Amino acid sequence: MNRDVASCNTYNYGDAMYWDARYVQEVGPFDWYQRYSSLRPLVRKYVLPSSPVLMVGCGNAVMSEDMVKDGYEDITNIDISSVAIVMMRKKYEHIPQLKYMQMDVRDMSLFPDDSFDSVIDKGTLDSLMCGTNAPLSATQMLGEVSRVLKPGGVYMLITYGDPRVRIPHLNRAVYSWKIVLYIIPRPGFEKSADSSSAVKSSTEPVPVTEEGLLPPDFVLEDPESHYIYVCKKLDELLELAGLSLDDIRTDNADSSEKLPPNYDESAIL
């Protein structure tokens, strides 16, 4: 469980000073890895629009804005950069569904235990894995994510890290997470014309071994794909009763297909 040396450059992505300087210079919003339009099927599948959501490492991305346009009602956004938070508070001061707080994801003590139904992370764990003391930072962050997540809640991690480098961090008994893996090609990827493999849907879970790794014969259509780990925090009482939160939420099973009034998908493309 070492630092992501092969995927990192010389920047210390775990340092607030780096991000403050970057956001002072950066013009316009920037979304890491994927836009909401690509992630929407999975977000709608696992995150109820009426539930409280925590977006960690929000930066100046528009994903939370796009989720509000899609009917999400309560999104708390945090970032280590005070510069980013000041900018985003001003930008969205008239949108009550969005709240912004300057906070280090490794210490979210301002939030009580079991505060959120969902935590979404698009590149924040990756940033810490490129910083100093990476293993310790990852452990601190994931411990805090597990703490603020309600039983039955979901931590959705969007990352460049394949199971060999992420499962050792995620699959720890202390978190009580049931993990489902999805893989999505990078934006703009086009399958080669001479490829004979069948088209795979990014909304279908990827089969993994007992250790949570990809099978030896698994072939990535896009070598630079992004990995989405859906980590569901098990409710021990429900598990003992032979139930799951999905059983309790049967009435909301089709929530991923319900669109909010005046929803316009073109607005988030």
Side-chain angles (χ1 to χ4, degrees), residues 43-53 67 71-74 117-118 245 249 252-256:
V43 174
R44 297 291 295 192
K45 178 180 177 68
Y46 288 103
V47 183
L48 294 176
S50 60
S51 65
V53 178
M67 289 178 66
Y72 284 87
E73 302 171 5
D74 182 6
D117 285 312
S118 305
L245 201 67
R249 288 178 171 172
N252 296 316
D254 61 344
S255 65
S256 64

Side-chain angles (χ1 to χ4, degrees), residues 37-237:
S37 54
S38 299
L39 300 171
R40 181 181 185 271
L42 292 178
V43 174
R44 297 291 295 192
K45 178 180 177 68
Y46 288 103
V47 183
L48 294 176
S50 60
S51 65
V53 178
L54 175 63
M55 186 76 66
V56 297
C58 62
N60 61 3
V62 297
M63 179 157 171
S64 295
E65 174 189 344
D66 289 342
M67 289 178 66
V68 169
K69 291 177 181 177
D70 198 16
Y72 284 87
E73 302 171 5
D74 182 6
I75 306 177
T76 299
N77 302 267
I78 67 170
D79 200 278
I80 197 172
S81 169
S82 59
V83 174
I85 293 301
V86 168
M87 289 192 302
M88 298 300 269
R89 279 178 180 165
K90 183 176 181 180
K91 180 178 180 180
Y92 295 115
E93 60 184 346
H94 301 302
I95 300 182
Q97 298 94 327
L98 296 177
K99 298 181 285 290
Y100 286 87
M101 303 175 65
Q102 192 276 329
M103 191 179 298
D104 188 331
V105 72
R106 294 166 290 192
D107 179 10
M108 298 189 286
S109 53
L110 288 179
F111 298 138
D113 296 357
D114 306 337
S115 292
F116 300 96
D117 285 312
S118 305
V119 177
I120 299 177
D121 169 9
K122 195 150 62 82
T124 300
L125 180 62
D126 290 356
S127 293
L128 293 180
M129 291 305 298
C130 285
T132 56
N133 300 316
L136 175 60
S137 290
T139 298
Q140 291 171 330
M141 171 185 168
L142 295 175
E144 282 290 83
V145 168
S146 179
R147 181 185 66 78
V148 304
L149 197 60
K150 295 179 182 179
V154 165
Y155 168 48
M156 184 176 291
L157 168 65
I158 299 97
T159 170
Y160 62 72
D162 66 43
R164 292 177 298 107
V165 295
R166 289 295 175 265
I167 286 298
H169 293 282
L170 299 172
N171 195 21
R172 300 181 63 192
V174 67
Y175 304 142
S176 297
W177 287 342
K178 179 181 179 181
I179 304 172
V180 180
L181 174 64
Y182 298 85
I183 298 178
I184 183 170
R186 68 187 185 279
F189 171 76
E190 295 184 4
K191 190 175 179 181
S192 62
D194 58 351
S195 176
S196 59
S197 62
V199 176
K200 299 173 184 175
S201 171
S202 59
T203 60
E204 296 178 3
V206 175
V208 295
T209 66
E210 291 185 2
E211 294 77 21
L213 305 179
L214 293 175
D217 59 349
F218 187 85
V219 178
L220 285 173
E221 291 183 345
D222 175 14
E224 298 181 33
S225 291
H226 296 129
Y227 300 84
I228 303 175
Y229 300 86
V230 178
C231 308
K232 187 170 185 178
K233 185 176 180 180
L234 299 180
D235 187 318
E236 295 181 0
L237 294 179

Side-chain angles (χ1 to χ4, degrees), residues 4-19:
D4 287 354
V5 177
S7 303
C8 303
N9 52 34
T10 57
Y11 300 120
N12 184 1
Y13 287 139
D15 188 348
M17 293 180 62
Y18 165 79
W19 291 108

